[in-house]
Amino acid sequence: MSEFANEAGIWAARITGAVAGAGVSLVYLLPKSKREAASRFITGVSCGMIFGGPIGLWIVQQLDIAGALSGREIMVAGSAAASMMAWWGLGVMVRVASHYGTRPCS
C-alpha cells in the first residue's frame, strides 16, 4: 500500500511541475492568440509529464545535487524544465512559421 501512496506523490509532483513550467513560461513569451496559448499549454504539460523524470535526473547529475533532493523534488524540477522547454520551442516555431508563412513564393 505504501508503494501506491509513493507513486501517487510522484504523479502529483509530475503534474505540478508540468503545469508550473507552462505557467511560468507565460510570463516570458506571451501567446498571440487563444489557440496558440492552448496548444502551447497542452504541449508543455504533455512534455513535462513524459520527460520530467529523465530531465530531472539529468539536472541533478549535472549540478551534482542528487543527495540533497527527494524524488518528488527531482520530479517537480524535471517536469517544470521539460514543460518550459516545450513551451518555448513551440512558441518560437509558431512565430517563425507565421513570419515566413505569409511571404509569397517566388
Side-chain angles (χ1 to χ4, degrees):
M1 185 67 169
S2 65
E3 191 173 311
F4 178 74
N6 188 31
E7 227 175 274
I10 293 292
W11 275 101
R14 188 181 299 234
I15 292 167
T16 301
V19 171
V24 167
S25 296
L26 267 173
V27 175
Y28 293 107
L29 186 61
L30 294 172
K32 290 188 175 185
S33 68
K34 290 180 183 178
R35 182 178 180 176
E36 181 184 350
S39 67
R40 286 171 44 197
F41 183 79
I42 290 168
T43 301
V45 171
S46 298
C47 286
M49 296 281 294
I50 294 166
F51 299 111
I55 299 269
L57 291 175
W58 182 80
I59 289 170
V60 298
Q61 287 176 351
Q62 294 300 312
L63 298 175
D64 196 25
I65 56 172
L69 299 175
S70 71
R72 289 181 183 155
E73 290 169 323
I74 293 169
M75 186 61 75
V76 168
S79 293
S83 178
M84 288 175 63
M85 286 188 282
W87 182 277
W88 272 83
L90 186 58
V92 168
M93 287 190 312
V94 165
R95 301 274 163 89
V96 168
S98 68
H99 176 72
Y100 289 108
T102 58
R103 289 180 143 180
C105 295
S106 355

